[in-house]
Amino acid sequence: MSGDQIFQLFAYLLPSIVTGAIAFYFFRLHTRNEEGRRRFLLHKDSQKETLPIRLQAYERMALFLERISINNLVVRVAPQGQDKSKYENLLIKQVENEFDHNLSQQIYMTDECWNIIKAAKSATIQIIRSAAMSETDSADKLREDILNQTIDKQSPSNTALSFVKKEIGDLW
């Protein structure tokens, strides 16, 4: 083969190689675009199904936080006698039962939110225990002491509820 023939062969092959490379590039671009579109549609469909479930979980946790709010808890759970330690245990048991009832909701929320809810539960129990350590002698007096401790402070459940509301706002 002479130099002219090689040059002619190269001249014939060059446009087909360039055309093939451009076709490959556009095909690859199209494939990536379609893959992204499919992924977006899948994500959109899954959000359509999971968003109501997640909102329901946040709703249940908001209800939990309202129920363990010190003011609501002490008003809702009346002492069954005059024994201070029995009333303390009853209040703590109510908080623990509410928490256990909603334990499965953690899979629908972020770890940070769940940890804040657990901290609110622990802080509420701590408030009850610290009030019970006072020198009160009756369940009714313990009830007053618990309410007096929380008059000046924001309830831990209110703080957690604010975070839950913020996180719900982030879902949109």
Side-chain angles (χ1 to χ4, degrees):
M1 261 187 155
S2 70
D4 281 346
Q5 288 176 334
I6 292 175
F7 182 71
Q8 241 181 357
L9 182 62
F10 184 69
Y12 289 132
L13 287 177
L14 183 62
S16 59
I17 291 173
V18 170
T19 305
I22 291 173
F24 176 76
Y25 172 74
F26 282 118
F27 180 72
R28 192 167 181 206
L29 190 67
H30 175 71
T31 305
R32 284 183 184 166
N33 187 28
E34 282 298 310
E35 184 179 321
R37 190 174 73 75
R38 283 190 200 117
R39 214 178 283 139
F40 171 75
L41 291 174
L42 253 167
H43 180 70
K44 184 179 167 187
D45 286 345
S46 69
Q47 277 227 320
K48 229 185 258 185
E49 294 173 15
T50 60
L51 186 63
I53 294 170
R54 287 187 73 193
L55 288 174
Q56 185 180 26
Y58 283 111
E59 180 180 303
R60 285 185 64 179
M61 293 318 295
L63 181 61
F64 163 74
L65 290 168
E66 284 294 332
R67 289 180 64 83
I68 70 162
S69 173
I70 295 290
N71 296 337
N72 295 340
L73 181 67
V74 172
V75 169
R76 191 178 76 252
V77 180
Q80 297 173 340
Q82 288 302 312
D83 188 3
K84 170 178 88 167
S85 64
K86 282 185 181 177
Y87 185 56
E88 172 192 2
N89 291 334
L90 178 64
L91 289 173
I92 291 171
K93 187 175 181 179
Q94 285 289 321
V95 172
E96 292 290 348
N97 285 343
E98 289 285 338
F99 184 74
D100 290 344
H101 182 71
N102 291 297
L103 199 56
S104 65
Q105 303 308 311
Q106 68 182 299
I107 63 174
Y108 299 111
M109 51 189 55
T110 64
D111 288 338
E112 184 181 11
C113 184
W114 183 251
N115 289 335
I116 288 173
I117 290 169
K118 287 191 321 188
K121 177 199 83 146
S122 298
T124 301
I125 291 172
Q126 187 61 36
I127 289 170
I128 294 167
R129 285 192 174 135
S130 68
M133 289 181 168
S134 67
E135 296 181 18
T136 58
D137 55 350
S138 71
D140 289 327
K141 185 69 175 144
L142 174 61
R143 198 177 196 187
E144 287 177 31
D145 288 348
I146 292 171
L147 287 173
N148 287 336
Q149 273 190 3
T150 59
I151 285 177
D152 300 336
K153 305 176 202 169
Q154 184 175 3
S155 171
S157 59
N158 287 343
T159 305
L161 188 58
S162 295
F163 186 84
V164 168
K165 288 177 182 178
K166 180 186 127 344
E167 192 156 300
I168 289 171
D170 292 344
L171 287 176
W172 305 110

Coordinates of all heavy atoms in Angstrom, one line a residue, residues 30-46:
H30 N -27.9 10.1 26.5 CA -29.3 9.8 26.6 C -29.6 8.7 27.6 O -30.6 8.8 28.3 CB -29.8 9.3 25.2 CG -31.2 8.8 25.1 ND1 -32.3 9.7 25.3 CD2 -31.7 7.6 25.0 CE1 -33.4 9.0 25.2 NE2 -33.1 7.7 25.1
T31 N -28.7 7.7 27.6 CA -28.9 6.6 28.6 C -28.8 7.1 30.0 O -29.6 6.7 30.9 CB -27.9 5.5 28.3 OG1 -27.9 5.1 27.0 CG2 -28.1 4.3 29.2
R32 N -27.8 7.9 30.3 CA -27.7 8.5 31.6 C -28.9 9.4 32.0 O -29.4 9.3 33.1 CB -26.4 9.3 31.7 CG -25.2 8.5 31.8 CD -24.0 9.4 32.0 NE -22.7 8.6 32.0 CZ -21.6 9.2 31.8 NH1 -21.4 10.5 31.7 NH2 -20.5 8.4 31.9
N33 N -29.4 10.1 31.0 CA -30.5 11.0 31.3 C -31.8 10.1 31.6 O -32.5 10.4 32.5 CB -30.8 11.9 30.1 CG -31.9 12.9 30.3 OD1 -32.1 13.3 31.4 ND2 -32.6 13.3 29.2
E34 N -32.0 9.1 30.9 CA -33.1 8.2 31.1 C -33.0 7.5 32.5 O -34.0 7.3 33.2 CB -33.2 7.1 30.0 CG -33.8 7.6 28.7 CD -35.2 8.1 28.9 OE1 -36.1 7.4 29.5 OE2 -35.5 9.2 28.5
E35 N -31.8 7.1 32.8 CA -31.6 6.5 34.1 C -31.9 7.4 35.2 O -32.5 7.1 36.2 CB -30.1 6.0 34.2 CG -29.8 5.3 35.5 CD -28.3 4.8 35.5 OE1 -27.8 4.4 34.4 OE2 -27.7 4.9 36.6
G36 N -31.5 8.7 35.1 CA -31.8 9.7 36.1 C -33.3 10.0 36.2 O -33.8 10.2 37.3
R37 N -33.9 10.0 35.0 CA -35.4 10.2 35.0 C -36.1 9.1 35.7 O -37.0 9.3 36.5 CB -35.8 10.4 33.6 CG -37.3 10.8 33.4 CD -37.7 11.1 32.0 NE -37.9 9.9 31.2 CZ -38.9 9.1 31.2 NH1 -39.9 9.4 32.1 NH2 -39.0 8.1 30.5
R38 N -35.7 7.9 35.4 CA -36.3 6.7 36.1 C -36.1 6.7 37.6 O -37.0 6.5 38.4 CB -35.7 5.4 35.5 CG -36.3 5.0 34.2 CD -35.9 3.6 33.8 NE -36.0 3.5 32.3 CZ -35.0 3.3 31.5 NH1 -33.8 3.1 31.9 NH2 -35.3 3.2 30.2
R39 N -34.9 7.1 38.0 CA -34.6 7.2 39.4 C -35.4 8.3 40.1 O -36.0 8.1 41.2 CB -33.1 7.5 39.6 CG -32.5 6.9 40.8 CD -31.1 7.1 41.0 NE -30.2 6.3 40.2 CZ -29.2 6.7 39.6 NH1 -28.8 7.9 39.7 NH2 -28.5 5.9 38.8
F40 N -35.6 9.4 39.4 CA -36.4 10.5 39.9 C -37.9 10.0 40.0 O -38.5 10.3 41.1 CB -36.3 11.7 39.0 CG -37.3 12.8 39.3 CD1 -37.2 13.6 40.5 CD2 -38.5 13.0 38.6 CE1 -38.1 14.6 40.8 CE2 -39.4 13.9 38.9 CZ -39.2 14.8 40.0
L41 N -38.4 9.4 39.0 CA -39.8 8.9 39.1 C -40.0 7.9 40.2 O -41.0 7.9 40.9 CB -40.2 8.3 37.7 CG -40.4 9.4 36.6 CD1 -40.6 8.7 35.3 CD2 -41.5 10.4 36.9
L42 N -39.0 7.0 40.3 CA -39.1 6.0 41.4 C -39.1 6.7 42.8 O -39.9 6.3 43.7 CB -37.9 5.1 41.3 CG -38.2 3.7 40.9 CD1 -36.9 2.9 40.5 CD2 -39.0 2.9 41.9
H43 N -38.2 7.7 42.9 CA -38.1 8.4 44.2 C -39.5 9.2 44.5 O -40.0 9.2 45.6 CB -37.0 9.4 44.1 CG -36.8 10.2 45.4 ND1 -36.4 9.7 46.6 CD2 -37.0 11.5 45.6 CE1 -36.3 10.6 47.5 NE2 -36.7 11.8 46.9
K44 N -40.0 9.7 43.4 CA -41.3 10.5 43.5 C -42.4 9.5 43.9 O -43.2 9.9 44.8 CB -41.6 11.2 42.2 CG -42.8 12.0 42.2 CD -43.0 12.7 40.8 CE -44.3 13.3 40.7 NZ -44.6 13.7 39.4
D45 N -42.5 8.4 43.3 CA -43.5 7.4 43.6 C -43.3 6.9 45.1 O -44.3 6.7 45.8 CB -43.5 6.2 42.7 CG -44.0 6.6 41.3 OD1 -44.7 7.6 41.2 OD2 -43.8 5.8 40.3
S46 N -42.1 6.6 45.5 CA -41.9 6.1 46.8 C -42.2 7.2 47.9 O -42.7 6.9 48.9 CB -40.5 5.6 47.0 OG -39.6 6.7 47.0

